[in-house]
Amino acid sequence: MMMPQAMVSKIAIDCILSKGSEGLQGEGCIYALSSSPPSITGPETLHPGDYVKLRLWLPDDESSAIYIDLAEVQWVKHQWVKLDLLLTSSKDQARLREFIAPTTQAVPLPHRMWEQIVIRA
């Protein structure tokens, strides 16, 4: 699938995931892909509506990352960025759902909880 040029991300974020009371949270670094080699940048370079790529690491599985090919910035506040996860493989979606799923199956997952992430950079 070809993405429109406006949706091709010039920013990538690497982070380690954790479960917060509101859903997925992460702590990581923001990289500007337009420089060679990619340079670390801050959340002030992001704006609502920007598109980014993500590489997420689960704390109990450091052997393979979850790749989000496309995520959209919802808001930026100080060192925090909220993203909607837009494009990822079905295998990685299943890994995210499993990671955030409650330990008891009696409690359903809130709508879209696994489709959003708040990252501290």
Side-chain angles (χ1 to χ4, degrees):
M1 175 171 101
M2 291 289 294
M3 283 188 263
Q5 189 61 33
M7 295 179 82
V8 176
S9 174
K10 304 277 190 269
I11 300 286
I13 301 174
D14 268 11
C15 77
I16 296 174
L17 282 181
S18 63
K19 291 183 241 182
S21 59
E22 300 294 314
L24 292 173
Q25 292 184 338
E27 186 145 344
C29 292
I30 300 171
Y31 295 93
L33 300 176
S34 54
S35 63
S36 182
S39 61
I40 294 177
T41 187
E44 67 279 355
T45 61
L46 296 173
H47 303 91
D50 286 351
Y51 295 103
V52 299
K53 296 179 182 188
L54 298 172
R55 185 168 58 171
L56 308 173
W57 300 94
L58 301 178
D60 56 345
D61 181 11
E62 296 178 14
S63 62
S64 64
I66 293 174
Y67 292 93
I68 308 297
D69 295 319
L70 191 66
E72 182 179 0
V73 175
Q74 295 303 301
W75 51 254
V76 179
K77 296 178 185 168
H78 308 291
Q79 296 298 311
W80 294 92
V81 180
K82 183 175 184 181
L83 303 163
D84 271 353
L85 310 181
L86 302 176
L87 187 60
T88 190
S89 71
S90 55
K91 177 184 159 207
D92 283 343
Q93 286 176 16
R95 288 179 67 201
L96 282 173
R97 278 195 215 89
E98 184 179 311
F99 175 71
I100 200 164
T103 52
T104 60
Q105 294 303 321
V107 181
L109 282 177
H111 178 64
R112 291 181 40 103
M113 185 180 248
W114 64 273
E115 294 177 351
Q116 296 180 330
I117 185 171
V118 177
I119 296 174
R120 186 166 151 295

